[in-house]
Amino acid sequence: MIYKIVKYGDPILEKLCEPVTQFDTPDLKQLVTDMFETMYAHKGVGLAAPQVGLPMRLTVIDCSAGEDETQRVVLINPEITALEGSQIGEEGCLSIPGFRENVKRAAKATVQAHDVAGAAFELTGEELLARAIQHETDHLNGILFLTHLSLLKRDIIRRKIRKLVKAGEWS
Ligand code: NI
């Protein structure tokens, strides 16, 4: 099932999400399958549960955008445990379509998380994967990439989105 993606302006995107407590259930497995399907349908490399309307600490990432199954990552209740270095690169968000900006992130990120079965694991990513880990973990804390932009850039984007909302082109 492909979910409708929640757009910027919906308060769910700026809420602290709740930890997942039930693992290895058919519902959780289905949700992960559907989130990958939704992310691929929108050509994204990451998608967090609040973006499909569910305030849960769960996110899926695939930096190959569906080209390479081995790059699929499911992070449940993720906690970033180490950040190193820095990188500046263009970032977008499926909840803020049409807007891409340079965002400064750590170059390397280590995260501890649980998989669908509930097993704990640790993952270290660099470059795009590091960026995705940071962007998606931010989502679970109600933080959007706009927060990492200058006030001026953020205001310009907010104003443009307000116009799109008025024109009925943002839903
Ligand atoms: Ni996003």
Side-chain angles (χ1 to χ4, degrees):
M1 181 191 109
I2 295 174
Y3 280 98
K4 181 177 158 56
I5 292 184
V6 172
K7 297 257 177 75
Y8 174 67
D10 188 314
I12 196 171
L13 293 176
E14 297 180 70
K15 270 190 191 157
L16 187 68
C17 296
E18 292 292 324
V20 172
T21 52
Q22 303 258 32
F23 293 90
D24 213 20
T25 64
D27 282 356
L28 189 64
K29 286 176 194 166
Q30 189 61 49
L31 173 60
V32 166
T33 300
D34 291 344
M35 281 180 62
F36 273 113
E37 200 181 339
T38 303
M39 181 178 80
Y40 294 141
H42 291 87
K43 306 198 186 315
V45 298
L47 184 69
Q51 295 182 277
V52 298
L54 301 167
M56 298 161 64
R57 301 188 75 78
L58 186 159
T59 175
V60 299
I61 294 170
D62 178 354
C63 289
S64 78
E67 296 295 311
D68 175 6
E69 253 185 48
T70 66
Q71 294 194 39
R72 288 184 178 211
V73 177
V74 179
L75 300 176
I76 303 178
N77 302 342
E79 296 291 343
I80 289 178
T81 53
L83 293 170
E84 255 180 70
S86 74
Q87 58 169 324
I88 293 173
E90 215 183 38
E91 208 167 298
C93 180
L94 293 178
S95 293
I96 315 172
F99 296 93
R100 297 185 68 82
E101 291 291 340
N102 280 329
V103 179
K104 189 179 174 189
R105 297 280 189 184
K108 194 172 165 184
T110 299
V111 68
Q112 287 181 352
H114 293 264
D115 65 17
V116 177
F121 67 96
E122 186 177 81
L123 172 72
T124 298
E126 294 184 51
E127 297 176 30
L128 182 58
L129 180 55
R131 180 173 295 283
I133 288 169
Q134 292 166 82
H135 178 115
E136 298 310 324
T137 306
D138 266 358
H139 267 299
L140 309 184
N141 295 321
I143 297 166
L144 300 168
F145 83 88
L146 301 182
T147 304
H148 297 284
L149 304 179
S150 69
L151 218 52
L152 179 66
K153 272 190 181 165
R154 211 186 306 166
D155 277 350
I156 291 169
I157 292 175
R158 280 200 186 132
R159 222 171 302 142
K160 284 182 181 167
I161 292 174
R162 231 173 284 145
K163 277 187 193 159
L164 290 171
V165 171
K166 273 190 193 157
E169 289 164 15
W170 192 263
S171 61

